[in-house]
CSV table of all heavy atoms in Angstrom, one decimal:
chain,number,residue,atom,x,y,z
A,142,PHE,N,-114.3,90.7,133.2
A,142,PHE,CA,-114.0,91.7,134.1
A,142,PHE,C,-113.5,92.9,133.5
A,142,PHE,O,-113.7,94.1,133.9
A,142,PHE,CB,-113.1,91.0,135.2
A,142,PHE,CG,-113.5,89.8,135.8
A,142,PHE,CD1,-112.6,88.9,136.4
A,142,PHE,CD2,-114.8,89.5,135.9
A,142,PHE,CE1,-113.0,87.8,137.0
A,142,PHE,CE2,-115.3,88.3,136.5
A,142,PHE,CZ,-114.4,87.5,137.0
A,143,ALA,N,-112.6,92.7,132.4
A,143,ALA,CA,-112.0,93.9,131.7
A,143,ALA,C,-113.1,94.7,131.1
A,143,ALA,O,-112.9,96.1,131.1
A,143,ALA,CB,-111.1,93.4,130.8
A,144,ILE,N,-114.1,94.2,130.7
A,144,ILE,CA,-115.2,95.1,130.1
A,144,ILE,C,-115.8,95.9,131.1
A,144,ILE,O,-116.0,97.1,131.0
A,144,ILE,CB,-116.4,94.1,129.4
A,144,ILE,CG1,-115.9,93.5,128.2
A,144,ILE,CG2,-117.6,94.9,129.1
A,144,ILE,CD1,-116.8,92.5,127.5
A,145,CYS,N,-116.1,95.4,132.3
A,145,CYS,CA,-116.7,96.2,133.4
A,145,CYS,C,-115.7,97.3,133.9
A,145,CYS,O,-116.1,98.4,134.0
A,145,CYS,CB,-117.1,95.2,134.5
A,145,CYS,SG,-118.6,94.4,134.3
A,146,GLU,N,-114.4,96.9,134.0
A,146,GLU,CA,-113.5,97.8,134.4
A,146,GLU,C,-113.3,99.0,133.5
A,146,GLU,O,-113.3,100.2,133.9
A,146,GLU,CB,-112.2,97.2,134.7
A,146,GLU,CG,-111.2,98.1,135.3
A,146,GLU,CD,-109.9,97.3,135.9
A,146,GLU,OE1,-109.8,96.1,135.7
A,146,GLU,OE2,-109.1,98.0,136.5
A,147,HIS,N,-113.3,98.6,132.2
A,147,HIS,CA,-113.2,99.6,131.1
A,147,HIS,C,-114.4,100.6,131.1
A,147,HIS,O,-114.2,101.9,130.9
A,147,HIS,CB,-113.0,99.1,129.8
A,147,HIS,CG,-112.9,100.0,128.6
A,147,HIS,ND1,-111.8,100.8,128.5
A,147,HIS,CD2,-113.7,100.2,127.6
A,147,HIS,CE1,-111.9,101.5,127.5
A,147,HIS,NE2,-113.1,101.2,126.8
A,148,LEU,N,-115.5,100.2,131.3
A,148,LEU,CA,-116.7,101.0,131.2
A,148,LEU,C,-117.1,101.6,132.7
A,148,LEU,O,-118.2,102.2,132.8
A,148,LEU,CB,-117.9,100.2,130.8
A,148,LEU,CG,-117.8,99.8,129.2
A,148,LEU,CD1,-118.9,98.8,128.9
A,148,LEU,CD2,-117.8,100.9,128.3
A,149,GLY,N,-116.3,101.4,133.6
A,149,GLY,CA,-116.5,102.0,135.0
A,149,GLY,C,-117.6,101.4,135.8
A,149,GLY,O,-118.2,102.1,136.6
A,150,ILE,N,-117.9,100.0,135.7
A,150,ILE,CA,-118.9,99.3,136.2
A,150,ILE,C,-118.2,98.5,137.5
A,150,ILE,O,-117.2,97.8,137.3
A,150,ILE,CB,-119.6,98.3,135.3
A,150,ILE,CG1,-120.3,99.0,134.2
A,150,ILE,CG2,-120.6,97.4,136.2
A,150,ILE,CD1,-120.8,98.1,133.2
A,151,GLU,N,-118.8,98.9,138.6
A,151,GLU,CA,-118.2,98.3,139.8
A,151,GLU,C,-118.4,96.8,139.8
A,151,GLU,O,-119.6,96.3,139.6
A,151,GLU,CB,-118.8,98.9,141.0
A,151,GLU,CG,-118.2,98.3,142.4
A,151,GLU,CD,-118.8,99.0,143.7
A,151,GLU,OE1,-119.5,100.0,143.5
A,151,GLU,OE2,-118.7,98.3,144.8
A,152,MET,N,-117.4,96.0,140.1
A,152,MET,CA,-117.6,94.5,140.2
A,152,MET,C,-117.7,94.0,141.5
A,152,MET,O,-116.9,94.3,142.4
A,152,MET,CB,-116.5,93.8,139.4
A,152,MET,CG,-116.5,94.1,137.9
A,152,MET,SD,-115.0,93.3,137.1
A,152,MET,CE,-113.8,94.7,137.4
A,153,VAL,N,-118.7,93.1,141.8
A,153,VAL,CA,-119.0,92.5,143.1
A,153,VAL,C,-118.7,90.9,143.0
A,153,VAL,O,-119.5,90.3,142.3
A,153,VAL,CB,-120.4,92.8,143.6
A,153,VAL,CG1,-120.6,92.1,145.0
A,153,VAL,CG2,-120.7,94.3,143.6
A,154,PRO,N,-117.6,90.4,143.6
A,154,PRO,CA,-117.3,89.1,143.5
A,154,PRO,C,-118.3,88.1,144.3
A,154,PRO,O,-118.8,88.7,145.3
A,154,PRO,CB,-115.9,88.9,144.1
A,154,PRO,CG,-115.4,90.3,144.1
A,154,PRO,CD,-116.5,91.1,144.4
Side-chain angles (χ1 to χ4, degrees):
F142 305 155
I144 289 175
C145 285
E146 188 168 5
H147 179 65
L148 294 174
I150 296 172
E151 180 182 342
M152 291 178 277
V153 181

